[in-house]
Amino acid sequence: MTFFQILEKNGWYFFTTLLSGWPATLTVASGALVFALIFGLVIALMRISTWRLLRWPATAYLEFFRGTPALVQLFVIYFGFPDWGFQPSPLQAAIIGLGMNGAAYISEIYRAGIESIHRGQMEAALSLGMTPIKAMQHIILPQAIRTMLPPMTNFSIVLLKDTAIVFSIGVLEVMALARQLVTETLTSAPIYLMAGAMYLCVTIPMARLAARLERQRQAWQ
Amino acid sequence: MSKAGDGAAAGQPLLRIEDLQKKFGDLEVLCGVSLNVARGEKVSIIGPSGSGKTTLLRCINYLEKPSAGHIYIDGTLIGEKKSGDRFIHLTDRELARERQEIGFVFQRFNLFPHLTALGNVTVAPMRVLNLSREAAEARGRDMLQKVGLSHKADEYPERLSGGQQQRVAIARVLAMQPKLMLFDEATSALDPELIGEVLRVMRQLAEEGATMVIVTHEIQFASEVSDRVIFMDQGRIVEQGLSREVLFKPKEARTREFLKHIQDR
Ligand SMILES: Nc1ncnc2c1ncn2[C@@H]1O[C@H](COP(=O)(O)OP(=O)(O)OP(=O)(O)O)[C@@H](O)[C@H]1O
Ligand SMILES: [Mg+2]
């Protein structure tokens, strides 16, 4: 059978099966994003702290999560955590794993954003009696967000694509279902291409959004 | 608000600086500066570039941590506290509380670009003093009126002239009702035609009895507004006294040289 005959015969079946993996893909992606946004801010604030006792562990964290494969991190959490008494479900492990990994990358986006704001802004806020935390909250971060939004959007795209590795710990997301279909029907190219096309349908609009945010940021400055 | 020391304040200076030293690495920027400023007094600081004027002001509200020496406002130590006979640093929260009482006007304004003029003036009263939005805005509008900018309340800083921005920055400081105001060359980033409007506002504050420490190159202004002038050079107070005397009959050769240099410009 040719490529197109296969698609004609099984295309709809492939499509609906793969589609049923999207809730899991989106849950992992958005869960990990929220995790990374919150935890990444903590890491970033620790990294720019004047206090070495905070800076040092944050740097170690960053080095570890950027320097080792995400798959290794995922396996440590899913297969290793039970040894320490916590058995995460595949979905939990996926969100924690990609979230912790993402936090390392996102913390650098936060840091660059914060450091792009002129020192005088923090000084003015402090001189008015704000604590450093309040100054961050009301003065620095609201300004830094403009700089951070385009790379954050780009990072979300990367994160969405990276969810494809969590099939390896048994999350039934798009990639896992694609592999099941392949074993079931003994065809591969049409299925994987269809899965790829589905990712593109989400990532292309996101990439355009990132580009638009970037243009706006430049226009404001 | 912490008013510790108020009881004993009647006879003592509002600001007392004791043997302040500041080093950046090996560079000695302040080499033992001592200074008292009485309540309601206006003190101008003049001196050549690099003499440590900005560093002195920044130490007063602890944007810079002194290498040695102590600063007191109303008898309360700034940036540190005594534990037994040792001095220990304040926490961020304690330091923030002390800074509420010290207004700082920056050479480059440092307005918050993401907030309107009114937003700039109300953010600290709301977030630091926990005033309600209504109360903060009422106070903020009063302060903008005081600096002649009621009509610009809703403009963002980038749409204001330098002189207007600096006046908003002064209003922002006034909204915190500080005991002491520090001005670091408030007019030297401004085009000449905009200097007057800022000096007018400062003069008005002086007349209302504010306690002010003013770093400035505006000799005329310093002579009219300040009770006392201090000439600094190389991290030391070289000469100080009544403004007329220091500015027009300086005793030290270095002061004379500096004043001549400034008038030649
Ligand atoms: N953060 C810093 N790190 C290192 N050196 C510094 C720092 N801040 C100031 N200095 C140095 O300290 C000296 C005094 O600087 P300061 O800004 O206090 O002088 P100034 O009297 O305000 O001069 P100007 O009239 O030019 O504003 C200068 O030699 C300056 O280079
Ligand atoms: Mg200076």
Side-chain angles (χ1 to χ4, degrees), chain B residues 2-186:
Chain B
S2 148
K3 300 276 184 201
D6 265 5
Q12 76 185 348
L14 178 68
L15 167 67
R16 187 165 102 237
I17 301 175
E18 278 179 358
D19 195 26
L20 188 67
Q21 297 174 36
K22 177 67 187 174
K23 283 186 198 148
F24 291 111
D26 287 337
L27 182 68
E28 268 194 80
V29 176
L30 296 175
C31 328
V33 171
S34 297
L35 174 66
N36 287 346
V37 178
R39 198 176 304 275
E41 195 180 15
K42 289 78 170 125
V43 175
S44 289
I45 303 178
I46 59 170
S49 184
S51 55
K53 309 180 294 294
T54 296
T55 306
L56 174 61
L57 285 198
R58 289 169 60 85
C59 284
I60 294 175
N61 76 348
Y62 242 70
L63 283 177
E64 233 41 276
K65 202 181 285 177
S67 310
H70 303 286
I71 298 157
Y72 300 82
I73 290 190
D74 254 350
T76 307
L77 264 170
I78 297 299
E80 42 184 15
K81 59 187 168 192
K82 249 186 147 163
S83 156
D85 49 357
R86 287 194 326 126
F87 292 90
I88 56 175
H89 288 297
L90 294 185
T91 62
D92 286 342
R93 195 180 284 266
E94 292 168 325
L95 183 55
R97 183 178 273 268
E98 292 193 336
R99 284 188 178 127
Q100 293 170 23
E101 320 227 294
I102 311 168
F104 200 110
V105 177
F106 297 87
Q107 186 170 353
R108 304 214 150 265
F109 333 133
N110 294 353
L111 287 187
F112 306 131
H114 63 302
L115 299 175
T116 60
L118 186 62
N120 267 274
V121 178
T122 53
V123 66
M126 278 167 58
R127 305 303 180 185
V128 175
L129 303 180
N130 294 319
L131 294 191
S132 68
R133 177 173 295 275
E134 297 73 49
E137 289 192 348
R139 186 189 279 193
R141 286 186 197 281
D142 281 352
M143 296 308 147
L144 285 177
Q145 184 174 23
K146 202 178 181 98
V147 300
L149 287 173
S150 297
H151 59 299
K152 297 289 185 188
D154 298 323
E155 289 288 2
Y156 283 87
E158 66 176 5
R159 308 244 336 227
L160 299 174
S161 75
Q164 291 169 336
Q165 289 189 47
Q166 191 60 296
R167 286 187 282 151
V168 173
I170 293 173
R172 179 173 72 174
V173 162
L174 290 174
M176 292 299 287
Q177 305 177 327
K179 287 181 178 172
L180 169 69
M181 293 182 72
L182 310 173
F183 294 83
D184 187 16
E185 298 195 42

Side-chain angles (χ1 to χ4, degrees), chain A residues 9-188:
Chain A
K9 186 157 164 281
N10 291 325
W12 183 248
Y13 174 57
F14 293 165
F15 181 73
T16 49
T17 308
L18 291 178
L19 207 59
S20 69
W22 275 94
T25 293
L26 293 178
T27 305
V28 172
S30 50
L33 183 63
V34 171
F35 189 111
L37 282 172
I38 296 168
F39 201 47
L41 180 59
V42 174
I43 301 289
L45 293 177
M46 286 169 73
R47 288 256 295 161
I48 57 178
S49 159
T50 49
W51 208 30
R52 205 174 295 136
L53 243 67
L54 288 178
R55 245 179 10 237
W56 194 83
T59 307
Y61 181 93
L62 197 75
E63 296 295 343
F64 177 78
F65 278 94
R66 287 198 311 186
T68 56
L71 196 58
V72 171
Q73 298 158 17
L74 211 54
F75 278 17
V76 168
I77 289 164
Y78 188 61
F79 299 111
F81 277 20
D83 295 348
W84 300 305
F86 171 55
Q87 172 66 71
S89 72
L91 201 65
Q92 286 169 341
I95 289 174
I96 296 171
L98 291 182
M100 288 180 82
N101 181 269
Y105 288 91
I106 274 198
S107 76
E108 287 294 274
I109 298 177
Y110 275 119
R111 192 165 71 102
I114 289 167
E115 285 177 352
S116 75
I117 304 302
H118 190 267
R119 200 169 54 110
Q121 292 290 308
M122 176 55 98
E123 292 184 346
L126 293 179
S127 77
L128 288 166
M130 291 189 199
T131 58
I133 298 277
K134 276 199 177 150
M136 272 293 159
Q137 188 186 347
H138 300 294
I139 305 301
I140 307 298
L141 287 176
Q143 294 183 56
I145 213 122
R146 278 185 182 178
T147 319
M148 295 181 322
L149 225 41
M152 290 282 189
T153 313
N154 282 323
F155 173 77
S156 311
I157 296 174
V158 172
L159 183 61
L160 184 82
K161 292 188 295 176
D162 281 355
T163 56
I165 65 167
V166 305
F167 80 85
S168 59
I169 55 168
V171 179
L172 285 180
E173 43 66 75
V174 177
M175 196 57 193
L177 292 170
R179 283 168 56 89
Q180 282 184 6
L181 279 176
V182 171
T183 342
E184 188 184 317
T185 62
L186 300 176
T187 41
S188 54

